[in-house]
Amino acid sequence: MTKLSKRKGPVVQMGFGLHAGKAVQGAIGSQRKLDATYISESVERSEFLESSTKKYGVPLLMSDAFYGLL
């Protein structure tokens, strides 16, 4: 990390939110470009966990549902 902090430009940091549950997959976009999207409360939970990594200053947060599957 010390090498990266000395170089010019921003340091890329990533956070991960891990949760397990059901989701529905659907396609969105146009005739030229389609993207897959996932909709469910489980997806919202993992997005919340990911955004919370910034608040708590940690790279990874997981739910008890995910932890139970490990």
Side-chain angles (χ1 to χ4, degrees):
M1 184 75 171
T2 56
K3 280 185 178 182
L4 291 177
S5 63
K6 292 179 182 178
R7 75 169 182 71
K8 289 185 177 182
V11 175
V12 176
Q13 295 180 340
M14 296 176 68
F16 298 90
L18 305 175
H19 180 66
K22 295 182 179 182
V24 175
Q25 179 185 6
I28 60 169
S30 66
Q31 290 181 354
R32 291 182 178 211
K33 184 174 189 306
L34 286 176
D35 289 319
T37 187
Y38 301 88
I39 303 169
S40 77
E41 290 181 18
S42 296
V43 172
E44 290 181 22
R45 173 73 53 95
S46 69
E47 289 174 351
F48 173 77
L49 290 169
E50 183 275 326
S51 67
S52 296
T53 61
K54 297 169 188 69
K55 178 180 178 182
Y56 293 107
V58 295
L60 180 126
L61 287 173
M62 68 179 75
S63 68
D64 59 336
F66 185 87
Y67 182 79
L69 293 172
L70 294 176

